[in-house]
Amino acid sequence: MQGNDDEFKKITEDLYKKNLDLFNANRQFSLLQELYQIIVSTLTFGDIANKFINTIIGDLDFYAGAVFFKIRDKEILSLYGVSTQKPNVLTESLGKSAQKDIPITEINNIVIKAFKEQKVQTGNSLKDVLLPFISSVDVDILSNATSVKSMVVFPISFGTQPLGAFVVFLRQVVTDLSEFEYAILGRCATVFGVAIDRLMIYQSLQDANQKLIDLDKQKDEFLSMAAHELRAPMTAIKGYISMIVEGDTGEIPEKARGYLADAGSVTDRLIRLVNNMLNVSRIEEGRLVYQVEQVNLSTVAQSVFNQFRPEAERKQLEYKLEIPQALRDKVEVDPDRVQEVVGNLVSNAIKYTEKGFVKIILSQASDQAVRFEVADSGPGISAEEQSKLFGKFYRAESSVGKTTGTGLGLYISKLLVEKFSGKIGLTSEVGKGSIFWVELPLVVAGQKPQTSA
Ligand SMILES: Nc1ncnc2c1ncn2[C@@H]1O[C@H](COP(=O)(O)OP(=O)(O)O)[C@@H](O)[C@H]1O
Ligand SMILES: [Mg+2]
């Protein structure tokens, strides 16, 4: 019978042990799971430290815990988190402590030692951990008031980079810590390392991002200022040129007239460019004032068409404007802005087309909309680039270096067209020219003009 009893006892012990292993594995799994959950939802060092140490101390039922990190280039470890779920004299005085740093030179402190040597350290006097950042007298008082018997300090690192350490305060002596507890604290230290590393990357990305935002703003301000300063003198030049051309200064030789006309259209181009630059920030910030009224789109098209004739002729392009009879084309827009849009499309077509034609064609898009198209026999644009064309500062690969431009024209045109509830787009194929089009809603009969928006 004795034999059977022994065997039975052995089986029960075995089972019990297996059961305990399973139980511990389960505990470990769920603790690590909790920690990973914290990682993905936490974005500051203080938060990570507090949540981690509370979870660890709570789950494993230790007396208390504290977390120290070395962040940035200072030669100190700073207290970033203290367990608070089960408050006691120790956690309270740690939480209240004004001084939170331990200099790396304090080699008697086991937090520093664990950090520097990257090895687990143990101690049995609170002084091993709390000196010098809590005074010797206060540590003595604390020691009497708590039931802490020992401490274990686990280093936190990522790869070969030491990042900090965390302390577990125990009610028992260190040797009473079970193998399981020891192992799981080691795992927690590893997860800690991953968390901190992730946060450091996140923070440096944020810093870099903030710098970019600042730079972007400076660039916008500079652009706006430069454009503003350029506009007045250019308008003056244009004024003088047209006065001379119109004969205000007397008869001028035919040749000079030709040069002056060229100078005039170049100045127009400059003014357009500067206006685009100025308008970008105004539109983006909602500062642009619109003078909305009812106009016939064909009037605007005719005026733009005339304005660009000299440039088209200079490039010896076939240049045409087609307006069908009985076109309904009354739209409610800011005519100056729509003139800018049509101007941008026509000037692009002329600029990018070396030979062949540029045609402006108006048509009835539907019962409710009028459409104008600018068709050219230029280089065309690949499908891939078409989608980016209306983005800020975008210029097609084939244009960069060959022609000058800001890449703002189409971006602004799109903003303006959408402001007037219209649509803008293009069809194009490399080598086969492009058609840029805009559709604007027609004024419904009987509709009263609105005041400017
Ligand atoms: N008619 C066109 N034919 C070919 N490419 C064009 C045409 N219109 C525009 N593009 C391309 O689209 C880009 C963006 O145009 P835009 O915003 O007006 O800027 P910019 O003319 O100052 O470069 C141009 O750089 C050019 O590469
Ligand atoms: Mg352009």
Side-chain angles (χ1 to χ4, degrees), residues 348 351-352 376 381 389 394-396 399 405-407 409-410 434 436:
N348 278 348
K351 176 156 92 175
Y352 297 112
D376 67 48
I381 300 148
L389 234 46
Y394 188 81
R395 307 198 68 220
S399 320
T406 54
L410 291 179
S434 317
F436 281 81

Side-chain angles (χ1 to χ4, degrees), residues 154-267:
F154 285 80
I156 300 171
S157 65
F158 187 77
T160 54
Q161 194 192 2
L163 301 169
F166 72 96
V167 189
V168 180
F169 298 92
L170 306 171
R171 296 184 202 86
Q172 73 261 54
V173 289
V174 172
T175 43
D176 284 348
L177 206 61
S178 76
E179 220 172 283
F180 160 74
E181 287 168 323
Y182 200 82
I184 197 174
L185 286 171
R187 298 252 153 76
C188 290
T190 310
V191 182
F192 236 134
V194 175
I196 299 307
D197 186 65
R198 174 182 170 275
L199 265 192
M200 298 218 274
I201 292 172
Y202 175 79
Q203 288 228 325
S204 55
L205 271 179
Q206 271 211 321
D207 291 352
N209 195 31
Q210 189 54 50
K211 259 190 213 133
L212 282 180
I213 292 173
D214 292 347
L215 278 175
D216 196 52
K217 202 163 153 241
Q218 275 179 28
K219 181 211 69 203
D220 280 352
E221 281 166 8
F222 173 75
L223 208 71
S224 172
M225 188 269 293
H228 197 82
E229 293 298 318
L230 284 170
R231 201 162 61 157
M234 274 176 350
T235 313
I237 294 174
K238 187 180 145 75
Y240 288 128
I241 291 175
S242 64
M243 274 161 67
I244 298 172
V245 171
E246 278 157 26
D248 288 13
T249 54
E251 197 58 33
I252 46 167
E254 206 45 41
K255 209 168 175 189
R257 181 181 295 278
Y259 288 151
L260 283 171
D262 284 355
S265 74
V266 172
T267 315

Side-chain angles (χ1 to χ4, degrees), residues 268-276 307-308 311 344 347:
D268 273 344
R269 202 159 84 208
L270 278 174
I271 292 175
R272 214 162 39 244
L273 205 124
V274 163
N275 276 341
N276 273 345
Q307 188 191 338
F308 283 94
E311 273 183 64
N344 278 334
S347 83

Side-chain angles (χ1 to χ4, degrees), residues 276 283 290 337 340-342 344-345 348 386-392 407-426 436-440:
N276 273 345
I283 298 174
Y290 301 93
R337 302 305 168 203
E340 264 176 57
V341 174
V342 182
N344 278 334
L345 298 189
N348 278 348
Q386 286 181 27
S387 56
K388 304 180 196 155
L389 234 46
F390 294 94
K392 196 172 175 179
L408 288 175
L410 291 179
Y411 172 70
I412 290 176
S413 299
K414 186 172 161 71
L415 292 181
L416 289 174
V417 167
E418 285 170 358
K419 175 80 198 167
F420 303 125
S421 314
K423 283 188 279 188
I424 186 167
L426 78 151
F436 281 81
W437 56 264
V438 168
E439 285 181 15
L440 290 169

Side-chain angles (χ1 to χ4, degrees), residues 272 297-313 317-323 338-339 341-347 350 357-362 372-375:
R272 214 162 39 244
L297 190 58
S298 53
T299 315
V300 178
Q302 184 71 58
S303 140
V304 174
F305 179 74
N306 294 343
Q307 188 191 338
F308 283 94
R309 190 197 300 279
E311 273 183 64
E313 281 173 356
L317 298 170
E318 185 193 343
Y319 188 59
K320 271 196 191 155
L321 170 64
E322 291 174 16
I323 304 173
V338 170
Q339 175 132 4
V341 174
V342 182
N344 278 334
L345 298 189
V346 175
S347 83
I350 297 174
F357 63 85
V358 168
K359 291 179 194 164
I360 307 175
I361 304 157
L362 271 69
F372 77 80
E373 294 179 356
V374 183

